[in-house]
Amino acid sequence: MSASARKAVVLVSGGLDSATVLAIANHEGYACYALSFEYGQRHRVEIEAAARVVANIGAAQHRTIQIDLAAFGGSALTDRDLAVPEAPTSGIPITYVPARNSVFLALALAWAETLDARDIFIGVNAVDYSGYPDCRPEFIAAFAELANVATRFGSEGGRFEIHAPLIALGKSEIIQRGAELGVDYAATVSCYQPTANGEACGRCESCRLRRAGFAEAGLADPTRYAVPVGTG
């Protein structure tokens, strides 16, 4: 990374998609400032995974910010009284966290302004995903417009860019791209309800999408499952 490299804030959750995005941003020559969130999620293993991902791929700096989306509830990822669905559901699933990506991007934007960075990377995907409204191209475009209206830099004629390089890729394409860039997917956690030591349940929608992605990509799935797939 050169001292003159263009700075970018990269959202890193510890999952497969955000690890791929960090690798892409690094490959494109950005000085990456990784940002993770402890937002009241049911488990800490994804925070630990985010640290592993950043250590493996590299970043100029990594910060983890504490916020409390669990205070509002409304999602199985922040409310332990709501069960994580293990069968396909119709509509937007209960694992959707209200306004999560809006909050994450707003905080990424705040850090970008202080860093004099003009680029923000996020690993949203609108192909193999759970139907979350804040993973769609319309949301990314709308937030980019907000960023350029709501900031000093934007009001002075500058332009922020929100990069979502995975938004039109299937899960297998994402995995293939990450493999090309040397991403160690064994360090990542995608499961909605992992065990305390990071083993995946193998039954939630995120696990199903991840497992199918590796199969379609023709690559070995490095995920550690609490119960071997096909035996639970």
Side-chain angles (χ1 to χ4, degrees), residues 128 171-172 176 211-219:
D128 288 333
K171 192 66 73 179
S172 63
Q176 288 170 336
R211 188 168 62 245
F214 278 105
E216 291 170 15
L219 297 174

Side-chain angles (χ1 to χ4, degrees), residues 16-17 125 127-129 169-176 190 206 209-214 216-217:
L16 181 156
D17 293 340
N125 174 258
V127 179
D128 288 333
Y129 79 127
L169 300 182
K171 192 66 73 179
S172 63
E173 295 174 294
I174 294 169
I175 291 169
Q176 288 170 336
S190 299
S206 187
L209 288 171
R210 179 179 171 121
R211 188 168 62 245
F214 278 105
E216 291 170 15

Side-chain angles (χ1 to χ4, degrees), residues 18-24 26 52-59 181-184:
S18 68
T20 307
V21 167
L22 179 61
I24 289 171
N26 263 310
R52 291 194 300 270
V53 164
V54 175
N56 289 349
I57 298 174
L181 295 173
V183 174
D184 177 11

Side-chain angles (χ1 to χ4, degrees), residues 18-74:
S18 68
T20 307
V21 167
L22 179 61
I24 289 171
N26 263 310
H27 181 71
E28 292 180 358
Y30 287 91
C32 295
Y33 290 76
L35 182 59
S36 304
F37 295 97
E38 190 169 353
Y39 61 90
Q41 59 266 59
R42 292 165 62 129
H43 52 78
R44 284 190 50 84
V45 297
E46 69 179 40
I47 300 299
E48 297 163 359
R52 291 194 300 270
V53 164
V54 175
N56 289 349
I57 298 174
Q61 190 177 143
H62 182 205
R63 289 191 180 186
T64 299
I65 304 297
Q66 290 189 333
I67 53 179
D68 189 13
L69 296 183
F72 306 116

Side-chain angles (χ1 to χ4, degrees), residues 138-230:
E138 302 95 306
F139 167 72
I140 297 300
F143 192 91
E145 288 304 308
L146 179 151
N148 289 305
V149 169
T151 56
R152 180 175 63 187
F153 177 68
S155 70
E156 293 174 347
R159 297 290 296 177
F160 284 100
E161 184 171 355
I162 311 298
H163 302 260
L166 310 183
I167 203 157
L169 300 182
K171 192 66 73 179
S172 63
E173 295 174 294
I174 294 169
I175 291 169
Q176 288 170 336
R177 179 61 175 143
E180 292 169 358
L181 295 173
V183 174
D184 177 11
Y185 287 122
T188 66
V189 173
S190 299
C191 182
Y192 288 149
Q193 50 184 0
T195 64
N197 67 355
E199 293 176 326
C201 72
R203 301 183 300 274
C204 68
E205 183 172 29
S206 187
C207 279
R208 293 196 300 272
L209 288 171
R210 179 179 171 121
R211 188 168 62 245
F214 278 105
E216 291 170 15
L219 297 174
D221 182 356
T223 309
R224 294 183 300 117
Y225 292 102
V227 177
V229 175

Side-chain angles (χ1 to χ4, degrees), residues 65-124:
I65 304 297
Q66 290 189 333
I67 53 179
D68 189 13
L69 296 183
F72 306 116
S75 171
L77 300 191
T78 58
D79 187 341
R80 293 180 181 275
D81 292 331
L82 298 175
V84 171
E86 296 183 353
T89 59
S90 60
I92 298 172
I94 195 64
T95 50
Y96 163 69
V97 181
R100 179 175 61 180
N101 284 344
S102 297
V103 173
F104 288 0
L105 281 174
L107 291 169
L109 181 61
W111 196 20
E113 274 213 287
T114 66
L115 289 169
D116 197 29
R118 306 302 174 223
D119 299 272
I120 297 171
F121 282 77
I122 183 171
V124 293

